[in-house]
Amino acid sequence: VTGPAYSDGKVFVGQYDGDFVAYDGTDGKPVWRFTPSGHLESSPLVVDGTVYFGDDSGDLYAVDADTGKLRWKADAGPAIKASPSYHDGIVYYGDYGGNVHAVRASDGHQVWETRSAGLGGAGPFYSSPAIADGLLFESSTDGTLYALDLSGHERWHFATNAPIYGSPA
């Protein structure tokens, strides 16, 4: 089961081997269910009535928080293991192929994608990006913390001696 998210009286959670479910925050009864293409490890992000989450088949979903209806789906290719992040109308996320993506929150249209080769051959991203001061920070299982500008260009990186699974803050 993924980590939960709460918004407007509902708790949202994904089940690894099944559905993505919205529960009533008062009594715990299911409000709606959505069945994605793959397994879920990506915890949800809720922004302005839309729930965003990824799956192991490499799809990023935007689902209406009230009804569970699919608004759009974007295919990243490799699995999405971590929660997406949001800033100024853009959803950012890393994938298990070592790529970082930016898509419009309104329709899932790709704004940019930074391939792992552009990041020195980054390993899989298991963390959620942090965004601050015009930079996106993403940590990789290759043991590197990356800083990208919000157009996807690497500004700097720092190599550690071990894989990083946790998200930067």
Side-chain angles (χ1 to χ4, degrees):
V1 175
T2 68
Y6 178 87
S7 180
D8 294 328
K10 289 186 269 322
V11 177
F12 304 94
V13 66
Q15 302 169 19
Y16 178 74
D17 61 351
D19 292 340
F20 186 87
V21 185
Y23 294 96
D24 185 289
T26 305
D27 61 18
K29 292 182 180 175
V31 177
W32 54 257
R33 293 180 181 277
F34 177 84
T35 304
S37 302
H39 297 290
L40 298 172
E41 290 183 57
S42 169
S43 294
L45 167 70
V46 185
V47 178
D48 296 331
T50 301
V51 184
Y52 303 94
F53 60 94
D55 70 12
D56 279 358
S57 68
D59 291 323
L60 181 73
Y61 298 91
V63 176
D64 185 282
D66 288 329
T67 66
K69 291 181 88 172
L70 180 67
R71 291 193 173 166
W72 54 259
K73 177 173 79 169
D75 180 14
I80 302 168
K81 303 281 189 176
S83 302
S85 296
Y86 176 91
H87 177 72
D88 201 22
I90 305 294
V91 176
Y92 300 91
Y93 61 99
D95 68 34
Y96 226 52
N99 308 305
V100 180
H101 306 262
V103 298
R104 285 194 309 236
S106 60
D107 59 11
H109 178 74
Q110 185 169 292
V111 176
W112 56 260
E113 175 183 12
T114 299
R115 297 267 180 200
S116 63
L119 297 175
F125 289 109
Y126 205 83
S127 69
S128 301
I131 301 164
D133 299 327
L135 294 175
L136 179 144
F137 303 95
E138 182 68 293
S139 53
S140 174
T141 59
D142 73 355
T144 306
L145 173 65
Y146 294 94
L148 309 175
D149 64 27
L150 296 182
S151 61
H153 298 98
E154 184 179 335
R155 296 283 287 277
W156 56 263
H157 67 271
F158 174 78
T160 68
N161 293 326
I164 307 170
Y165 289 93
S167 300

